[in-house]
Each structure stands twice: as C-alpha cells, then as structure tokens.
Amino acid sequence: MEYVESFRDLEVYRFSRLLSKDIFEVTKSFPKEEMYSLTDQVRRSSRSVGAQIAEAWGKRRYEKHFISKLTDGDGEQLETQHWIELAVDCGYLQKKQADDLLTRCFSIGKMIGSMIAKSSSFCKPDH
C-alpha cells in the first residue's frame, strides 16, 4: 500500500465527496415538498460516507474503532442507495442517472470493504 498521509489522500474519500456533490446537484430538481424528507435524507446519507471515512482515519490507532467507523460509512452508502432507488420510484430520477449513482455507491462500498479487510495495514501502532 502506498503511504497515505491524510484521509484526503484516500481514493475512496475523494470518490465519496464527488458522489455527494453529484447527488446534491441532481436533488436540486426534486420537488419542493421533498426538501425536508427525501432530498434531505439522500444528501445527508451521501455526505456522511466521506465524514465516516475521515473519522475512521482519525481512529486508526484503535483498529476496532477504525473498522466501526468504516462500517458506519458503508451503512451510509447503502442508505444512499435506498434513497436513490426511492427517487426513481417517485419519478424524480431517471433510471440511467440512478444506475450511475448506484454503481458509484457500490464501488465505494467495495473500497470500504477492502479497507476493513486490510485494516491492520492502516492501523499500525506508529500512526
């Protein structure tokens, strides 16, 4: 593994930020009555993925805490998938647009899973 100095250097973190930015953009077209429900929920969960990765980085001295925060991040990306699918069901997103977002969520989930599986390489005592 290439040495990473900050959570900002992690590809999964950068991908999660881009995803949350893109979700923010697509949700601008959601109906106003969804502002405090679906729009808020999908924005919140998508933004939380990167936040959980950043928190995991801060807790990497303690492997169990690192894994716990990454697990929370994975849960947030799964929740984001749910809201994206619901947006399609409600007619707010086109299937093609949603499929792109869902593919990106899935990719982020796989990357988080890989970090969990290799947690010991991130959680060396000298960090």
Side-chain angles (χ1 to χ4, degrees):
M1 180 179 75
E2 180 179 316
Y3 184 71
V4 176
E5 292 186 27
S6 164
F7 63 88
R8 291 176 191 87
D9 298 329
L10 296 168
E11 192 174 40
V12 66
Y13 174 77
R14 292 193 306 265
F15 287 169
S16 68
R17 280 191 54 195
L18 282 172
L19 176 67
S20 65
K21 178 184 160 292
D22 291 345
I23 286 174
F24 176 78
E25 291 300 324
V26 300
T27 58
K28 285 181 179 180
S29 67
F30 285 13
K32 293 284 185 230
E33 62 267 18
E34 291 288 4
M35 180 55 71
Y36 298 107
S37 51
L38 180 58
T39 303
D40 182 59
Q41 290 290 339
V42 71
R43 286 177 178 178
R44 183 203 53 76
S45 64
S46 68
R47 290 172 178 168
S48 185
V49 178
Q52 296 294 336
I53 293 166
E55 283 189 59
W57 184 262
K59 306 241 178 175
R60 71 192 189 287
R61 176 164 293 180
Y62 310 101
E63 191 170 357
K64 287 182 181 181
H65 290 274
F66 178 77
I67 291 169
S68 176
K69 295 314 286 182
L70 288 176
T71 301
D72 291 345
D74 194 40
E76 294 292 343
Q77 73 81 16
L78 289 166
E79 180 181 342
T80 301
Q81 288 186 44
H82 164 76
W83 297 124
I84 291 167
E85 291 171 347
L86 191 63
V88 172
D89 294 346
C90 294
Y92 306 149
L93 277 179
Q94 297 296 317
K95 181 157 176 25
K96 185 177 183 334
Q97 192 175 31
D99 286 346
D100 172 63
L101 296 171
L102 292 168
T103 296
R104 292 165 63 192
C105 285
F106 182 74
S107 176
I108 288 166
K110 283 182 71 169
M111 294 171 88
I112 290 171
S114 179
M115 287 178 73
I116 291 169
K118 299 173 184 171
S119 60
S120 63
S121 64
F122 290 92
C123 299
K124 294 181 181 162
D126 59 344
H127 286 158

